[in-house]
Every structure is written in structure tokens, then in C-alpha cells.
Amino acid sequence: MFNAISREELREIIANDFPALESFADMLYEEDGETYVRMGDGSWAIIPVTEGFSQGCPLSPVFAALVLNAIIKTIHPELEARAKARLRRGDKGDDGKGSVALLMAYVDDVNVLLHHEDVHWFLNRFVELAEPRGGKLNTFKTRILTSTSHNSLVEKMRSSTNSHINHLGKDLDEAISKYSREKNEMGDMSKVEVVDGLRVLGAPIGSQQFCTNFLQSALAKATSDSKKILAGLEDVQSMVKVYNTCTAHKLTHLFGTDVINTQTADLPSNYFLWNSDLTRGFSEMTNSFLQSAISSEPLPPHAELITSMSIKAGGLGLQHPRTCAVTHFMLTTKRCLQYCRDGVWLGYKKHRPALPHTITSLFNNWKSTPTRTMSNFRAYIEDFASICCGSPELTEQFVYETSLNKCRETMREHAAKMTREVTLERTAPDYVAPKLNQMLLEETSMALMTAPRLEPKNRMKNVTFCTAMKRKLRLVVIKDHHLFK
């Protein structure tokens, strides 16, 4: 979308709504850009760029979003009018208000929840408004989710004897054929009706099997990335830093999804001992990475636990779903409930925009609704209220009044404390248990994992770092120690 957006449209939007940015935007895009292309004979050709925003420009996503916002602001009231028309006809929809459309957009990624009769209209209207502005709807990326049962809703609607439903099925089928397509190996085009789930802002939404497969695919990608770190870097300290900051951290937004995707009856009683396929796979990935990086034997259970404990508690601070998946889920759900009641927090002393009824109605009955998300939330809410507020009875205070950041820090340290008391101290082998106080010193954790490497004094040679890491985790430092007797 960045490549074709109209610069004139951007200038008009900025002049009307963000005049303070006008001179800055003109400085970047008033003149035509140039793209240099190296030809086969080694010479360079220049291609003028008269529209769109440069892919390398840090403001190009923001500028594209401004134009996209203008399109959405035009469509949204029209969708609301269509919902009101349905309500007048007696069609209350799924929300009692005629199925009011819900538009969610992040930069150039738009997700829309629509009544069946709005799907084709919305896509046609979007194209009608976007094309004059240089926006293009990518039909190879556009996907229409009709169900999560793995069965086609379109076929069911088209086979209905109800003429209205039959007509909606044909209209929906036409929309899918026109706007949700893929090309096979022979180059032929075919329609794509999604019947299992979709990714929304990086998280899976759909059937339990779809979400499980999505999590496993993300884990496989992270494991592949961890192997590339081992192959591409020589400095072990850098390897561990990159793994912790990038590879492992890229999966944390999926930890809460893992909890949502679990039946309430299968939840562990201790929030800090989360166990799932993702947890086990994450352990295998981290253990394999550290084993290869520091040239050690497979990590024993006590070492694995220490890697996931917080730095403050003397661990390595490597995020792990075992200790923080439930916390991620609980705090994300808590924030949703806060936003539904109080509006979206944008900063201190700033107006909090209210969320639409379409969203807030989903959370109104969170104390009693049987939905899995809220059932799982209620399963742990007394524990979290007790830890964050001092009493299991203060659930309302936990949900609506406590600071999100304070809760996150409190739960992180509590999880580390309980990991040590409930698991580590009870299962550590005899050669580890007496030394735990020495092993779990915050100072040694900080030296290994958080010391700024811009300062040369904090950069360790490979042999020094590996030895220190092995001593921290009580791993074998010298395999053939008998040679030194």
C-alpha cells in the first residue's frame, strides 16, 4: 500500500487535520523521489517515483495510515446506517442492534467483522474509495472467514430453501471469488473461503486446532531462527543476548493465546507451572540453544528452571511460557475489562475514548459468562487478586484499579519466588541444593545478561562467558577433570 498512496491526498489530510506536520511532510515528499536500478551491463538507471512513500522512511506507515483512516471514516457511518436499516426490518442481528460492523485497523492492516449482507458491499465500497487515493486491495492477502468449524458456510447458505439466505450465500460466494483468491502451481486462480481461522495482528483467531497449529508453526520458526543465531555469530555472549531479546521475545505475544486455547478443566492449579505443547517445545528450543552456545551437556531440570527465573531473583530472565503464560493472559484480559468500562487509556490527563457497544457487550457479563476466555480468567482471578492486592476477595480492585505495570512486575517476582520454593528447592539434586543461595545472586545474573556491552569492560571472551554460565547453572565445567589430578 505504501508504494502507490496519493501524495496529494496525504497533503490534503495533513493540511486539514495535522497542520503542524505539513512542512515536515513537504520536506520529505514535495519533490519526486528517485529509485536507482543497476542494469545488467553494470550501468545505473533512474526511475522517478511520483507517488507512494519510501519503504525505508520511518514515517511511511504513519502517512499510509492517515490515508487509510480517511477511507474507513467514510465507510463506518455508512455501515452503521445499514445496521439500522436491518434493525428497522426486524433483523436484530447478533448484538440486538442489527449487527453493527466492527472495524479494526492497524497501519495498513484492516480487520472487519460484518453481517453477511455487508461483506460484498464493504469490499466494493473500499475499492471505490481507495483506488482514487492510490490504495489497492491485495486479493491474494485478503481473506474472508465464514466459520471456524472447517465446514463451508457458503455452501450451506446456497443450499438453503430460504430465498433470503440463499441470496446471501450467492452474494457472499461472489465476494470471495472476487476478493479472496490464490494462484495454484499452474497459474490458475481459485477462490479461498477460510473455514478454520485467521491471524489478527499476529495472534490466531479460530478453531482450537487452528490455534494449536499456528502456535506450533510459530515455535518452529523461532527454533529455526535460534539455529541461525548459532550459525551466524561467533561471540557467545552476543548469541545469548540476541536469542533473549529477539528470538524468544518474539513468541511472548502468543503465550496468552496458549491459555485461551486450553479447556478450563485442563488448567494447572499453579499459575507459575503452565504446561502445554508450546511450553515443552519452548523448553526444548531454549535448552538446545544454550547447550550448543556454551558447549554443555543437556540442561538438567534445575538449570532449566533457573534460566526462566527473573534477573532480580537470580535467574537468567529468559521469558518462558511455564512461568508467565498465565500472567500474560490474565493481564491482557484485565486491560480489556478496564478499557471496556473506562475507555482506552492514551496517557495521563488525556481523554479516554469509549469502545463501541459491539466490543463492550462481549465483556459485560464476565463474572458469569461460560465463554472459555472468561472461565479461564475466573479460574485464576482470586490468586492474582491475593498477590497483587493482598486479598482474594479484592477481585474488582485487581481488575479495575491496580496498575498494569505494577501487577506485571509483582507477578514476575512472585513467579520466580514460587518457582524456587515450590519446585527448585524440592527437586534440586544434592550437589545443587546447598549452593542455591550462591547460585541465585542477582549480581551474577546481571553480569551475564544485562550489563551494557557498549562498554568494553562488560564484553566477555567466549571461554569466560561459557565458564561463568556453566557455574551459574551448576553444569560440568571441565568434562575430563580427571586429567588435572
Side-chain angles (χ1 to χ4, degrees):
M1 186 172 180
F2 302 151
N3 297 332
I5 287 293
S6 167
R7 295 184 181 181
E8 285 302 318
E9 179 72 17
L10 172 69
R11 288 192 184 97
E12 182 177 339
I13 292 171
I14 289 180
N16 292 332
D17 299 332
F18 307 97
L21 290 175
E22 194 168 8
S23 59
F24 185 62
D26 284 343
M27 179 186 71
L28 293 175
Y29 291 110
E30 188 173 25
E31 302 293 333
D32 292 348
E34 294 181 339
T35 297
Y36 290 77
V37 180
R38 188 168 186 176
M39 311 302 289
D41 61 1
S43 62
W44 290 87
I46 299 176
I47 301 175
V49 180
T50 59
E51 294 288 11
F53 311 127
S54 304
Q55 290 285 350
C57 174
L59 282 180
S60 61
V62 178
F63 289 157
L66 293 178
V67 178
L68 178 60
N69 182 62
I71 298 171
I72 292 175
K73 285 175 68 175
T74 301
I75 296 179
H76 189 252
E78 297 173 354
L79 284 169
E80 289 183 328
R82 291 174 66 87
K84 291 178 180 178
R86 279 192 294 271
L87 189 60
R88 288 194 296 269
R89 297 197 307 263
D91 183 356
K92 295 183 178 181
D94 60 351
D95 58 0
K97 296 180 179 292
S99 288
V100 177
L102 179 60
L103 279 76
M104 302 171 288
Y106 185 78
V107 191
D108 65 339
D109 186 6
V110 181
N111 297 278
V112 193
L113 304 181
L114 297 168
H115 190 285
H116 298 126
E117 70 178 32
D118 286 344
V119 175
H120 200 176
W121 178 89
F122 170 81
L123 292 167
N124 285 338
R125 182 65 171 142
F126 186 91
V127 170
E128 178 186 349
L129 293 171
E131 287 190 346
R133 295 172 165 88
K136 295 188 179 299
L137 190 68
N138 189 335
T139 59
F140 295 109
K141 291 184 177 180
T142 300
R143 290 295 177 260
I144 301 174
L145 176 72
T146 62
S147 79
T148 58
S149 65
H150 299 270
N151 297 314
S152 171
L153 179 64
V154 170
E155 293 303 319
K156 183 177 181 180
M157 295 175 70
R158 293 193 61 173
S159 62
S160 174
T161 56
N162 183 301
S163 60
H164 179 64
I165 295 177
N166 184 275
H167 171 74
L168 287 179
K170 291 179 180 178
D171 189 57
L172 189 56
D173 189 33
E174 184 178 340
I176 293 172
S177 300
K178 185 177 180 181
Y179 292 110
S180 179
R181 305 182 298 169
E182 66 180 2
K183 187 181 293 185
N184 61 26
E185 295 179 355
M186 302 298 294
D188 299 323
M189 305 293 291
S190 61
K191 64 181 181 181
V192 179
E193 178 189 1
V194 181
V195 295
D196 52 0
L198 289 174
R199 181 180 67 178
V200 178
L201 294 181
I205 304 294
S207 68
Q208 187 169 11
Q209 188 58 53
F210 173 81
C211 293
T212 298
N213 292 341
F214 186 97
L215 293 175
Q216 290 303 309
S217 177
L219 181 62
K221 174 64 168 58
T223 301
S224 175
D225 290 344
S226 70
K227 293 177 180 178
K228 292 176 182 178
I229 294 173
L230 294 169
L233 297 176
E234 295 182 356
D235 183 79
V236 179
Q237 191 178 11
S238 297
M239 291 180 188
V240 176
K241 188 69 174 179
V242 172
Y243 176 81
N244 184 32
T245 306
C246 302
T247 307
H249 193 72
K250 279 195 292 188
L251 290 177
T252 56
H253 72 286
L254 296 176
F255 290 174
T257 300
D258 196 26
V259 179
I260 295 175
N261 201 41
T262 301
Q263 298 291 342
T264 306
D266 297 329
L267 298 176
S269 56
N270 292 318
Y271 80 90
F272 54 88
L273 293 178
W274 181 252
N275 188 27
S276 65
D277 290 340
L278 178 67
T279 304
R280 291 183 287 274
F282 202 95
S283 292
E284 292 175 5
M285 176 180 71
T286 298
N287 292 356
S288 176
F289 175 81
L290 289 177
Q291 180 183 347
S292 298
I294 65 176
S295 302
S296 74
E297 75 273 18
L299 268 61
H302 77 269
E304 182 183 331
L305 290 170
I306 293 173
T307 63
S308 63
M309 292 173 63
S310 68
I311 298 290
K312 189 174 181 179
L316 296 184
L318 298 180
Q319 293 207 54
H320 196 292
R322 178 181 55 252
T323 56
C324 60
V326 174
T327 298
H328 275 256
F329 161 72
M330 292 294 291
L331 296 187
T332 299
T333 308
K334 161 185 159 63
R335 179 168 54 186
C336 290
L337 291 170
Q338 284 182 316
Y339 285 2
C340 284
R341 193 191 75 166
D342 303 330
V344 179
W345 190 85
L346 299 178
Y348 292 106
K349 297 183 180 180
K350 291 187 176 181
H351 170 68
R352 302 184 69 142
L355 290 172
H357 171 79
T358 314
I359 294 178
T360 59
S361 61
L362 299 174
F363 295 87
N364 284 342
N365 300 317
W366 66 269
K367 295 180 181 180
S368 58
T369 179
T371 61
R372 187 192 302 164
T373 298
M374 289 307 162
S375 293
N376 290 359
F377 183 73
R378 292 194 299 268
Y380 292 109
I381 190 170
E382 290 187 358
D383 290 341
F384 276 65
S386 179
I387 297 166
C388 296
C389 305
S391 170
E393 298 178 357
L394 299 177
T395 55
E396 291 275 332
Q397 180 178 329
F398 165 72
V399 172
Y400 295 117
E401 299 177 21
T402 55
S403 161
L404 198 67
N405 291 333
K406 181 65 180 299
C407 285
R408 184 179 293 111
E409 182 64 25
T410 299
M411 296 309 301
R412 181 187 297 118
E413 298 311 322
H414 185 268
K417 176 176 178 290
M418 297 308 294
T419 297
R420 174 171 178 170
E421 293 179 0
V422 175
T423 307
L424 189 55
E425 292 181 354
R426 297 180 184 181
T427 61
D430 293 340
Y431 69 91
V432 171
K435 303 293 184 180
L436 280 177
N437 287 336
Q438 299 175 32
M439 294 168 60
L440 300 178
L441 290 175
E442 181 182 0
E443 293 79 3
T444 59
S445 299
M446 293 180 65
L448 287 169
M449 303 300 294
T450 67
R453 300 185 68 242
L454 287 176
E455 300 180 23
K457 67 179 182 179
N458 293 327
R459 303 171 192 169
M460 301 184 195
K461 295 181 179 179
N462 284 349
V463 64
T464 304
F465 182 82
C466 291
T467 301
M469 184 71 80
K470 289 176 181 178
R471 286 178 58 81
K472 176 75 174 177
L473 301 176
R474 280 306 184 269
L475 304 176
V476 175
V477 177
I478 302 175
K479 293 181 180 179
D480 298 323
H481 56 82
H482 63 278
L483 298 176
F484 295 85
K485 292 183 178 178

